[in-house]
């Protein structure tokens, strides 16, 4: 099998996953993206339709944004072409039909150390009915033995624009869960769903950071006015515990080609980065002071920044004839480049699975070659993942002006990467654990007949995952041991009448914190009808 082209001074790439020379075989390469049933947790909000491109794929609500853009000066004239070239909508490699028995979780669970329910109800405990008014059915009626409870369901009824409204943000801070919706952030009690506070914004919220600081702050962007000809350039830091604004400012333009269409936000320490359409800048979360903008003049322009697990990387486009791509290690305070990994010619980063350790999906849209590579602390390639399956986790299709963010359905713990395989409509999937030292898969856990699994987070050396509800059976929060094997159920959500509601959250935001499971919508139709916004399960 022909090997993937290697960057200079990189170790040979082992044969296996991601080596797709020539025309793709069936199930290989870059097929158009269809519905991704297991991509449950987008980290970015849905956006208005972007201008059509030669091979841009459609994006549904909660869909992603754009890849690396282009540096200023002479390369600005190919901004759109280079942005599009970076957007590789990937299928998988060698999708296989999984066989074997439906491994139901064990009925008795031991809670992880961080899963002790906490928090107190609001002063008016109430019944947890949704904000949309009206009486809700008893969602816990007819619970079967061993099933846990719906703690509360929040619904809402609003009239919005014809394309609907975004609701991408969800943060759990102590005894409060905060949800973004159109022009507001609202905090609810985790125990009963009663509203604690609401913070209005002057215009539509257009981007949110998924991270929070140790003090419980996050960063949100909103538009500079109403209507279509507005920019997403207003930056605000919010204290999620109190619901108070810390500061707001307009992000200054870095040049005539600075396009604030669909920025992405990433936080690390006291730094927040704002990446948009080939330009990026960073500010102090504490006071809003500017730290740096993408550096110019070194031959490779950092188009976007992404942070995670205490490290920051940049995706860069170089000013050579081929507009080569680089991944760079970045100092989050100064913006200085510490190391650089040059991709093979014509290759672009198509997905980020982890920042620290750095695990990226790269590909060439023309030749259909693709590889998932692991980079060491010095930026040197140390491994290539090898394993059968289709790993399109819903974060590679980034549109035209949005920067890549870390795939929400990918979880890294030490030297292990957990990825869900793709599941077609009505099909099953599995979670695969990869050893990042060898690149080989360690184990696979199937979801079961017509069910899907999504990794949520790593806890105590194991993995917490969500098994999606179906028509007759509620979802489950599962614990999978570091060695794999049969999962253990931490929560079993009730079946009818709750399961039909739970299963119809489309591309939802998911969290499991202190023994409670949170699932919320990321886009609402906003046509004056009652819609589900946030549903919480627990013991």
């Amino acid at each position: 099998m022909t090997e993937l082209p290697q960057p200079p001074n990189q170790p040979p790439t082992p044969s296996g996953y991601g080596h797709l020379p020539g025309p793709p075989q069936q199930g290989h390469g870059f097929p158009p993206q269809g519905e991704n049933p297991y991509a449950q947790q987008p980290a970015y909000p849905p956006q208005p339709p972007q201008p059509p491109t030669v091979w841009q794929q459609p994006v549904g609500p909660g869909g992603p944004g754009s890849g690396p853009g282009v540096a200023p000066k002479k390369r600005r004239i190919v901004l759109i072409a280079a942005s599009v070239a970076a957007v590789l909508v990937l299928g998988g490699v060698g999708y296989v039909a999984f066989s074997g028995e439906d491994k139901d979780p064990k009925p008795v669970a031991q809670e992880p150390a961080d899963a002790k329910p906490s928090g107190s109800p609001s002063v008016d405990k109430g019944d947890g009915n949704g904000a949309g008014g009206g009486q809700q059915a008893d969602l816990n009626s007819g619970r079967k033995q061993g099933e846990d409870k719906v703690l509360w369901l929040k619904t809402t009824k609003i009239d919005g624009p014809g394309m609907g409204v975004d609701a991408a943000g969800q943060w759990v801070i102590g005894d409060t869960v905060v949800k973004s919706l159109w022009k507001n952030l609202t905090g609810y009690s985790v125990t009963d769903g009663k509203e604690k506070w609401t913070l209005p914004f002057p215009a539509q919220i257009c981007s949110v950071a998924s991270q929070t600081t140790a003090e419980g702050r996050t960063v949100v962007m909103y538009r500079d006015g109403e209507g279509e000809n507005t920019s997403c350039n207003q930056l605000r830091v919010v204290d999620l515990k109190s619901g108070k604004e810390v500061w707001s400012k307009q992000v200054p333009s870095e040049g005539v080609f600075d396009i604030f269409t669909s920025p992405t936000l990433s936080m690390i320490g006291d730094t927040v980065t704002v990446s948009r359409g080939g330009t990026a800048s960073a500010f102090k979360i504490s006071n809003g002071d500017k730290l740096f903008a993408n550096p110019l003049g070194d031959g490779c322009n950092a188009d976007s920044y992404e942070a995670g697990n205490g490290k920051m990387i940049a995706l860069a486009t170089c000013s050579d004839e081929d507009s080569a791509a680089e991944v760079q290690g970045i100092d989050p305070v100064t913006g200085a480049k510490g190391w650089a990994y040059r991709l093979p010619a014509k290759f672009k980063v198509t997905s980020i699975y982890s920042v620290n350790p750095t695990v990226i999906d790269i590909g060439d849209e023309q030749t259909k070659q693709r590889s998932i590579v692991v980079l060491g602390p010095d930026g040197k390639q140390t491994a290539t993942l090898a394993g059968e399956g289709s790993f399109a986790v819903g974060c590679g299709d980034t549109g035209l002006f949005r920067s890549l963010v870390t795939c929400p359905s990918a979880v890294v713990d030490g030297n292990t990467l957990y990825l869900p395989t793709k599941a077609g409509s009505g099909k099953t999937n599995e979670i695969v654990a990869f050893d990042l030292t060898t690149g080989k898969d360690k184990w696979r856990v199937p979801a079961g007949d017509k069910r899907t699994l999504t990794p949520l987070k790593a806890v105590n050396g194991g993995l917490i995952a969500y098994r999606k509800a179906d028509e007759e059976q509620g979802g489950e929060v599962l614990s999978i041991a570091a060695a794999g094997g049969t999962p253990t159920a931490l929560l079993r959500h009730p079946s009818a009448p709750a399961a039909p509601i739970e299963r119809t959250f489309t591309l939802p935001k998911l969290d499991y914190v202190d023994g409670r499971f949170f699932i919320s919508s990321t886009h609402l139709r906003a046509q004056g009808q009652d819609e589900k916004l946030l549903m919480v399960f627990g013991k």
Side-chain angles (χ1 to χ4, degrees), residues 180-483:
S180 71
L181 176 59
W182 197 14
K183 302 177 183 180
N184 296 280
L185 292 185
T186 303
Y188 304 97
S189 166
V190 296
T191 56
D192 56 40
K194 287 300 181 181
E195 183 178 316
K196 288 190 168 187
W197 54 261
T198 292
L199 178 64
F201 284 70
Q204 171 190 343
I205 294 172
C206 49
S207 184
V208 298
S210 61
Q211 305 103 324
T212 60
T213 67
E215 299 80 20
R217 295 178 176 181
T218 197
V219 186
V220 176
M221 295 191 75
Y222 58 98
R223 307 196 76 82
D224 60 1
E226 302 288 351
E228 297 180 358
N229 298 320
T230 58
S231 295
C232 182
N233 62 3
Q234 303 298 305
L235 194 65
R236 176 180 288 186
V237 171
V238 178
D239 185 327
L240 296 175
K241 294 181 179 179
S242 65
K244 303 294 184 183
E245 172 188 333
V246 180
W247 55 261
S248 291
K249 68 179 295 181
Q250 179 169 314
V251 178
S253 174
E254 297 298 332
V256 67
F257 293 102
D258 197 351
I259 303 173
F260 288 88
T261 300
S262 304
T264 58
L265 299 170
S266 191
M267 297 167 52
I268 177 174
D270 193 31
T271 299
V272 58
T273 59
V274 182
S275 304
R276 66 273 184 188
T279 305
S281 48
F283 305 88
K284 281 190 174 182
I285 299 172
S286 56
N287 58 19
D289 289 349
K290 182 177 176 180
L291 291 171
F292 58 87
N294 46 353
L296 305 178
D298 64 351
C300 295
N301 183 55
D303 304 313
S304 64
Y305 299 99
E306 177 68 349
N309 197 22
K311 300 293 183 181
M312 176 179 286
I313 61 173
L315 304 184
T317 304
C318 302
S319 56
D320 54 21
E321 182 178 352
D322 295 326
S323 296
E326 271 191 2
V327 179
Q328 303 171 349
I330 299 295
D331 185 315
V333 177
T334 66
K337 178 173 65 175
W339 54 260
Y341 169 82
R342 179 69 65 94
L343 273 63
K346 308 299 183 182
F347 274 68
K348 302 294 180 183
V349 176
T350 58
S351 294
I352 302 171
Y353 297 134
S354 172
V355 173
N356 184 27
T358 303
V359 186
I360 52 175
D361 204 324
I362 64 176
D364 182 334
E365 192 274 335
Q366 296 298 322
T367 65
K368 315 303 180 188
Q369 289 179 296
R370 175 190 177 194
S371 186
I372 298 179
V373 299
V374 183
L375 306 183
D378 57 357
K380 296 290 196 308
Q381 181 177 332
T382 59
T384 301
L385 300 194
E388 294 183 338
S390 175
F391 299 96
V393 297
C395 59
D397 180 6
T398 57
L400 185 58
F401 295 118
R402 176 175 288 279
S403 302
L404 288 175
V405 296
T406 303
C407 295
S409 295
V411 172
V412 168
D413 184 28
N415 286 321
T416 303
L417 170 68
Y418 304 96
L419 285 179
T421 61
K422 183 179 179 181
S425 180
K427 303 294 184 180
T428 187
N429 83 327
E430 59 185 358
I431 291 177
V432 183
F434 288 96
D435 186 323
L436 296 180
T437 302
T438 65
K440 298 179 180 179
D441 57 333
K442 299 194 297 184
W443 51 256
R444 295 166 178 259
V445 171
D449 185 37
K450 297 183 180 180
R451 303 295 293 274
T452 56
L453 281 172
T454 301
L456 295 178
K457 63 180 180 179
V459 174
N460 296 336
L463 179 70
I464 305 297
Y466 172 58
R467 191 182 190 188
K468 187 179 178 180
D470 62 17
E471 293 89 344
E472 299 179 352
Q473 187 173 359
E476 293 158 301
V477 177
L478 307 177
S479 176
I480 304 174

Side-chain angles (χ1 to χ4, degrees), residues 61-148:
S66 81
V70 182
K73 300 182 181 178
K74 63 181 180 180
R75 289 185 293 120
R76 287 296 187 187
I77 63 176
V78 292
L79 169 64
I80 294 180
S83 297
V84 172
V87 181
L88 304 182
V89 183
L90 302 180
V93 291
Y95 181 81
V96 294
F98 305 114
S99 60
E101 61 179 343
D102 180 355
K103 295 185 178 180
D104 285 327
K106 300 173 184 177
V108 179
Q110 294 294 324
E111 288 283 346
D114 71 340
K116 297 177 182 178
S118 62
S120 57
S122 49
V123 175
D124 178 11
K125 187 170 183 179
D127 57 9
N129 278 345
Q135 293 296 317
Q136 296 179 350
D138 181 1
L139 298 179
N140 293 308
S141 62
R143 275 193 305 143
K144 300 176 182 177
Q145 184 176 2
E147 291 183 340
D148 296 302

